[in-house]
Amino acid sequence: LAKTTQPISMDSYEGQEVNITCSHNNIATNDYITWYQQFPSQGPRFIIQGYKTKVTNEVASLFIPADRKSSTLSLPRVSLSDTAVYYCLVGDEGSARQLTFGSGTQLTVLP
Amino acid sequence: NAGVTQTPKFQVLKTGQSMTLQCAQDMNHNSMYWYRQDPGMGLRLIYYSASEGTTDKGEVPNGYNVSRLNKREFSLRLESAAPSQTSVYFCASRSQAGREKLFFGSGTQLSVL
């Protein structure tokens, strides 16, 4: 299983763009990169997923360089409600193999 | 649309007591997972079930047993609860096919005194 490394915490201000980087040096060819968001007292929820290059949805963008050894979750114009823990997950989504979460990044958005 | 339902939401046990955490999903998913989350920590996988009739150990299986009762239900049992098992427990499911995301329940807060 590919191990992931993320910053423990980040602070930002409302309206700013936030970039959270995840390192996954031993990512396998079939592995996808998925990000989840978790609010206190709730289960994580899916944000975005990608394999290579750039993926964008209504919530975030995901940038993946050609070597795929890292990925960056980009949250545009954050608000106070984006304060949460963000997890980077790397795994073979095509199988039912066990999926392992890292420690995540606590993002705190300040007014 | 219920998604993943966990019961109970809160539970207090005494050391040595047993209990079963229930999880059910209505999305016809093949794979189901049990995680625990300790305060300020990430999620650690306890057990998972790739499909009905199969279960496998995750990172921290000691002290737990699971049963995949049918495609919908995946239960987690603590035979003899210990204070170290005080945690929030999350059940999740996903379809086996393709690049499917995990869907989580709302969690069970368990305290073992």
Side-chain angles (χ1 to χ4, degrees):
Chain A
L1 296 173
K3 179 178 170 58
T4 60
T5 303
Q6 303 173 233
I8 294 174
S9 64
M10 296 179 67
D11 291 342
S12 181
Y13 291 96
E14 281 192 291
Q16 290 188 330
E17 178 184 72
V18 171
N19 296 311
I20 306 174
T21 297
C22 178
S23 297
H24 28 80
N25 291 321
N26 60 339
I27 188 169
T29 301
N30 293 333
D31 286 343
Y32 283 82
I33 300 157
T34 311
W35 285 81
Y36 289 83
Q37 175 191 56
Q38 185 181 27
F39 296 113
S41 302
Q42 295 185 23
R45 68 173 187 174
F46 173 88
I47 302 176
I48 196 166
Q49 184 184 71
Y51 182 79
K52 62 180 179 180
T53 64
K54 177 183 174 182
V55 179
T56 298
N57 62 21
E58 65 280 4
V59 176
S61 295
L62 179 59
F63 298 91
I64 305 169
D67 66 7
R68 303 200 327 121
K69 294 184 183 298
S70 67
S71 58
T72 299
L73 174 71
S74 181
L75 304 172
R77 298 178 298 282
V78 294
S79 64
L80 297 177
S81 62
D82 292 317
T83 293
V85 178
Y86 292 82
Y87 294 97
C88 166
L89 205 67
V90 174
D92 181 357
E93 295 283 348
S95 72
R97 187 172 92 167
Q98 59 177 303
L99 301 173
T100 303
F101 283 74
S103 298
T105 298
Q106 170 67 58
L107 172 65
T108 302
V109 180
L110 305 169
Chain B
N1 192 2
V4 179
T5 303
Q6 292 183 235
T7 56
K9 293 189 182 300
F10 301 95
Q11 183 70 49
V12 179
L13 294 176
K14 294 181 180 179
T15 298
Q17 287 186 317
S18 62
M19 80 159 296
T20 300
L21 280 62
Q22 306 287 352
C23 176
Q25 52 90 10
D26 62 2
M27 296 171 283
N28 200 37
H29 286 168
N30 288 310
S31 302
M32 298 186 73
Y33 304 78
W34 275 106
Y35 290 89
R36 63 176 286 175
Q37 185 172 37
D38 299 327
M41 304 285 288
L43 288 87
R44 293 185 291 171
L45 182 65
I46 305 172
Y47 270 94
Y48 70 105
S49 171
S51 61
E52 184 179 356
T54 69
T55 60
D56 286 285
K57 295 178 180 180
E59 300 174 79
V60 289
N62 292 342
Y64 304 95
N65 286 302
V66 291
S67 296
R68 185 72 183 269
L69 304 171
N70 47 55
K71 192 171 185 178
R72 290 187 64 250
E73 300 173 289
F74 188 38
S75 62
L76 178 71
R77 183 162 178 83
L78 286 71
E79 292 291 351
S80 179
S84 61
Q85 293 178 306
T86 293
S87 189
V88 179
Y89 292 85
F90 289 102
C91 177
S93 72
R94 72 182 185 116
S95 171
Q96 187 172 347
R99 298 176 286 127
E100 297 297 327
K101 58 191 177 186
L102 283 167
F103 290 82
F104 282 84
S106 57
T108 296
Q109 173 69 61
L110 175 66
S111 295
V112 183
L113 307 177

